[in-house]
Amino acid sequence: MNVSKRRLLIGRMYHESNFLPSFRTDGSWFNEHRDEAVLQEASGSSSTLGGIYKKAKALGYEMIGAVDIAAPPSALVDDDYYAGIRAAFVECARRRNFDAIALDLHGAMGTGSIPDADGDLLAALRDAVGPDIPIGVGLDLHAHMTPKMLSSAEIVIACKENPHSDTVECGERVVELLDQLLSGKLHPVSTLARVPMILMGNAETNAGPLQELHTLARSLAARHPQIRDISLYNVMRLMDDVDMGQSVVVLSDGPLPAATEIAARIAGEFWRRREEFRDDLLTIDRALDLAADPKKALPVALGDMGDRVTAGAPGDGVYILQAALKRPGLRGAIPITDAAAVAKAKAAGIGAHITLDVGGTMTSMFQPLAIRARVRNVSTGVFTMAGPFHGGERSDMGDTAVLDLENGLVLLVTSRPAYSLDPQAFESQGISIAAQDFVVVKSGHHFKLNFAGLVEPLLVATPGIGYPFPGYHPGTRGRFYPEHEVGEPAIKALSFARP
Ligand SMILES: [Zn+2]
């Protein structure tokens, strides 16, 4: 058999947007690639895009790079920047010189005027390619799932693990399913059910209620050979859109009445167990007691839950620093986002002793803290993630300063919210993790993957917008438990067949 190679257009738009800050995330925040460079980036990346590349190559596809943008979570994306990115994607799509499109989207990107940018992009791509070219998407499980996504793309699935250890597999699965579709072996129908609630916590998939819900999903899928995927979406909590909630999407080959029951049943389980999604967190003092324990085998990593950059917070909290300053001799590394403090350190120069305020300028409920420090190092703040989460990817913290405090603490002061979930954020700046009693990370889940074997992970209750509290969400578009009174929801499932 002599068939010409199938061609796949691939790309990525990866951003989780927090609607609270008044500034906008523009192009300077993103790692951006076009055309051939998209393929180069994908080939070395342990991400969903990397998985798309890997599987497409294995199946003998020829790949065409479209657009790739990725940045750590931050404020809503600048409208003009997004318009340019969408136009670039659409230009590639209009060429129609491929058999299918495979994308890595986070699924929780908003702009100043478009709350669901991922759905907007997919609708624009569908317009550009017409009804016959299939689109497959691998989403983060913290996506805000919308009908627009499902009515624009045939294959829409999520990674299944939090922390996200299976992003590569998610990308591979997208290509496998697209390949089945192109070969006529899959006639995709997506069935969506949703409940209006956020998870307050307890959001990892290797224990607790989420583990049980994923086990339930797998066992229900196993009973129906027509079911190809069940994805559970735990919406990013700092979006502002209608119908925010926990979403379940069943992907079946052809219409399947059982898919409706299954989607509604799993969504109903989220609601029934809604009170179980809360974390047991340590107080800051208890966490520092554990850091000070001379018998500990490894440094402890303190997940700064209220100020998690990975949950959309700016990373400018100084509460753990404030408490650690009262414990002289404790060695700890603490990241803080503060562009003005970095500028001051740079101006003073390496080796200078300076007095300055750090943190507390981006989160409205925070206050800056005055410290005295010696400037150890300044840099551009660019490093390569060690992974496994996003290993091999370039990460940009903006101009960065390393400041030594007199009592044994070291501050990693970055101009931008940084991916401190990866040890290279510290090591690349000359801060040894092994030499610390503790390291603060602005992450609650992913750091457990990237710091595995290097630290004992702990989760700490701290103030901030990264962890929901009553009144945390001043948005006007959506209503969801427990932020709003929503009553007992009527759970209905809705199906989307190939357009
Ligand atoms: Zn996520």
Side-chain angles (χ1 to χ4, degrees):
M1 194 167 69
N2 185 13
V3 284
S4 64
K5 268 192 171 185
R6 282 195 179 131
R7 279 174 298 181
L8 194 61
L9 182 73
I10 75 169
R12 166 167 64 174
M13 185 171 83
Y14 191 88
H15 190 254
E16 196 177 55
S17 315
N18 165 7
F19 80 105
L20 292 177
S22 54
F23 71 94
R24 292 288 175 259
T25 301
D26 65 19
S28 70
W29 294 68
F30 285 90
N31 280 332
E32 186 175 325
H33 306 94
R34 303 275 177 107
D35 309 318
E36 195 61 30
V38 177
L39 307 183
Q40 267 162 36
E41 178 72 5
S43 69
S45 167
S46 60
S47 61
T48 299
L49 181 68
I52 288 171
Y53 181 90
K54 200 172 151 193
K55 181 57 75 178
K57 196 161 190 235
L59 292 178
Y61 279 78
E62 187 184 315
M63 279 176 275
I64 303 167
V67 180
D68 167 27
I69 62 164
S74 51
L76 290 170
V77 173
D78 176 73
D79 272 305
D80 290 341
Y81 176 66
Y82 169 64
I85 291 300
R86 180 176 58 186
F89 265 110
V90 165
E91 193 189 320
C92 294
R94 281 211 184 109
R95 291 185 197 132
R96 294 173 51 97
N97 55 345
F98 46 83
D99 300 285
I101 301 178
L103 299 176
D104 172 359
L105 303 182
H106 187 292
M109 179 168 139
T111 74
S113 65
I114 304 170
D116 168 26
D118 302 272
D120 182 76
L121 175 69
L122 290 173
L125 290 176
R126 174 55 62 206
D127 268 359
V129 296
D132 300 327
I133 293 182
I135 302 176
V137 185
L139 294 169
D140 188 281
L141 62 76
H142 298 110
H144 166 48
M145 170 49 58
T146 64
K148 199 171 215 171
M149 294 181 191
L150 297 177
S151 56
S152 305
E154 286 84 353
I155 308 289
V156 183
I157 66 170
C159 65
K160 307 293 187 283
E161 305 287 343
N162 183 33
H164 307 332
S165 56
D166 64 333
T167 48
V168 172
E169 288 90 328
C170 176
E172 291 178 321
R173 188 78 183 126
V174 168
V175 175
E176 267 171 21
L177 291 164
L178 274 175
D179 189 64
Q180 290 172 14
L181 192 164
L182 289 171
S183 306
K185 295 175 195 155
L186 172 63
H187 306 88
V189 177
S190 290
T191 302
L192 162 71
R194 179 172 16 224
V195 279
M197 58 176 276
I198 59 157
L199 307 188
M200 303 292 284
N202 210 358
E204 292 193 8
T205 52
N206 53 8
L210 265 193
Q211 183 185 40
E212 289 165 30
L213 286 179
H214 279 273
T215 303
L216 173 67
R218 279 193 300 273
S219 74
L220 292 170
R223 288 184 213 164
H224 300 276
Q226 266 179 278
I227 293 181
R228 302 298 169 86
D229 178 81
I230 302 181
S231 288
L232 277 50
Y233 295 92
N234 313 129
V235 64
M236 193 283 199
R237 292 176 292 224
L238 288 167
M239 298 195 76
D240 184 24
D241 196 6
V242 294
D243 293 333
M244 273 173 60
Q246 303 305 300
S247 298
V248 179
V249 178
V250 178
L251 176 70
S252 58
D253 179 24
L256 180 69
T260 305
E261 286 160 37
I262 288 170
R265 174 165 169 201
I266 300 171
E269 282 295 296
F270 270 108
W271 180 254
R272 188 177 69 77
R273 304 183 69 167
R274 60 196 179 279
E275 279 300 323
E276 295 175 42
F277 293 101
R278 290 177 195 271
D279 283 317
D280 265 340
L281 302 178
L282 298 172
T283 63
I284 294 174
D285 276 331
R286 178 66 190 134
L288 291 177
D289 287 347
L290 294 169
D293 182 352
K295 294 197 293 293
K296 67 183 182 302
L298 290 171
V300 295
L302 311 184
D304 188 340
M305 293 300 276
D307 195 32
R308 276 181 294 157
V309 167
T310 47
D316 64 332
V318 291
Y319 292 90
I320 297 176
L321 169 61
Q322 211 164 15
L325 282 169
K326 295 178 188 141
R327 298 182 183 228
L330 197 59
R331 291 161 307 168
I334 304 175
I336 298 170
T337 315
D338 190 333
V342 175
K344 191 159 182 184
K346 257 181 108 169
I350 292 171
H353 290 266
I354 52 174
T355 302
L356 74 170
D357 282 350
V358 289
T361 56
M362 300 170 86
T363 304
S364 61
M365 70 178 81
F366 291 173
Q367 294 291 325
L369 185 67
I371 55 157
R372 225 189 120 54
R374 182 182 160 278
V375 181
R376 188 202 295 186
N377 195 22
V378 290
S379 81
T380 57
V382 173
F383 69 100
T384 303
M385 305 263 286
F389 177 71
H390 283 190
E393 301 239 325
R394 176 182 181 273
S395 197
D396 185 351
M397 307 188 280
D399 282 350
T400 292
V402 176
L403 305 180
D404 285 312
L405 275 56
E406 278 153 15
N407 71 342
L409 300 174
V410 55
L411 304 186
L412 176 72
V413 190
T414 62
S415 299
R416 289 183 175 163
Y419 260 165
S420 56
L421 63 91
D422 193 279
Q424 279 303 315
F426 299 90
E427 300 280 355
S428 68
Q429 306 302 308
I431 300 172
S432 162
I433 302 298
Q436 311 301 323
D437 291 312
F438 73 94
V439 53
V440 171
V441 291
K442 305 286 182 176
S443 161
H445 309 294
H446 300 79
F447 78 101
K448 295 178 184 175
L449 286 179
N450 288 22
F451 276 89
L454 303 176
V455 299
E456 181 66 37
L458 303 173
L459 300 185
V460 187
T462 52
I465 59 168
Y467 202 74
F469 52 88
Y472 88 100
H473 195 288
T476 52
R477 293 182 176 120
R479 293 188 68 74
F480 51 86
Y481 171 89
E483 185 70 1
H484 309 102
E485 179 51 58
V486 293
E488 189 69 21
I491 303 170
K492 277 182 258 158
L494 198 59
S495 286
F496 301 81
R498 190 171 178 193

